[in-house]
Amino acid sequence: MNYVINGKEFRELLSADTIERAIGREAARIREHYANLDPVFVIVLKGAMFFAVDLIRAVAMPCTVEVLSAKSYGDAMESSGELRLSEISAVIRNRHVVVIEDIVDTGLTLKKILDQLKHQFPASVQVATLLSKPSVTKEQLELRYCCFEVGPEFLIGYGLDYAEQGRELKAVYALHRESAE
């Protein structure tokens, strides 16, 4: 099934079942790595909240949850280049941190987030992301837990949006074409 949002047609790229299986796989890896460590999961809002809830539930272990707001897209399909980050309130000094991101494309946002967190002296910082776009990445970052590598196309669904539309979709959709509407 295709979706039309704001005059653009999107086709399904990753089904809800495919996403669920990948999350289960990465959650098992996280659970094994952080057993008895009480990690801090830092969720990058707004997009990662859907992935984060499913991932943290699948990890099913004691943890602390914190949120961080990062905005760089606005209503466009490309990053504005201006990044606004909020501060996190949790104490992460000497704690193991897992940053949960919806998508890593250029890597510029994630690099700034990681730099900000490292100034708080955590024991370790790793990244869990639903999607990675290696063909457009400008920053070389280790994505220890990555569900899918995808191409450069614009994506919506499962937390990803186009001008705040499409986050609620249970699957991930790729831009297919401009709609005739």
Side-chain angles (χ1 to χ4, degrees):
M1 174 181 238
N2 289 353
Y3 278 87
V4 176
I5 297 177
N6 292 336
K8 304 200 182 311
E9 185 177 345
F10 294 84
R11 62 171 167 71
E12 185 175 279
L13 179 68
L14 299 167
S15 71
D17 289 340
T18 300
I19 293 168
E20 182 179 2
R21 284 191 302 276
I23 289 172
R25 178 190 72 231
E26 295 306 314
R29 293 181 62 224
I30 291 170
R31 192 171 38 254
E32 181 181 332
H33 186 256
Y34 292 98
N36 304 313
L37 293 178
D38 187 28
V40 178
F41 290 106
V42 176
I43 304 166
V44 181
L45 296 179
K46 296 180 192 174
M49 64 185 169
F50 296 87
F51 172 52
V53 167
D54 289 344
L55 181 68
I56 292 168
R57 285 181 178 162
V59 168
M61 65 186 292
C63 64
T64 301
V65 176
E66 183 61 52
V67 296
L68 175 70
S69 176
K71 296 185 180 210
S72 66
Y73 275 73
D75 290 343
M77 294 179 81
E78 294 180 11
S79 175
S80 67
E82 296 178 26
L83 179 65
R84 293 176 307 217
L85 290 178
S86 66
E87 298 289 325
I88 64 167
S89 60
V91 175
I92 64 169
R93 185 189 243 354
N94 298 322
R95 302 275 311 273
H96 297 280
V97 175
V98 179
V99 176
I100 302 177
E101 182 64 288
D102 56 351
I103 188 165
V104 177
D105 45 29
T106 64
L108 298 173
T109 298
L110 184 57
K111 173 137 179 34
K112 288 184 181 183
I113 291 169
L114 296 174
D115 288 346
Q116 178 177 308
L117 293 174
K118 287 176 184 174
H119 284 61
Q120 297 178 46
F121 306 103
S124 68
V125 178
Q126 296 295 334
V127 176
T129 186
L130 177 66
L131 304 163
S132 171
K133 291 183 174 182
S135 66
V136 298
T137 300
K138 295 178 181 177
E139 292 287 340
Q140 295 305 311
L141 302 166
E142 179 186 356
L143 306 178
R144 183 164 197 163
Y145 309 104
C146 180
C147 292
F148 303 99
E149 287 188 355
V150 295
E153 60 269 307
F154 188 80
L155 305 172
I156 62 165
Y158 203 78
L160 302 163
D161 73 297
Y162 172 47
E164 295 298 326
Q165 301 295 308
R167 288 189 198 279
E168 77 286 355
L169 300 171
K170 293 180 181 180
V172 171
Y173 295 78
L175 181 63
H176 182 58
R177 64 178 175 231
E178 299 288 328
S179 175
E181 292 183 337

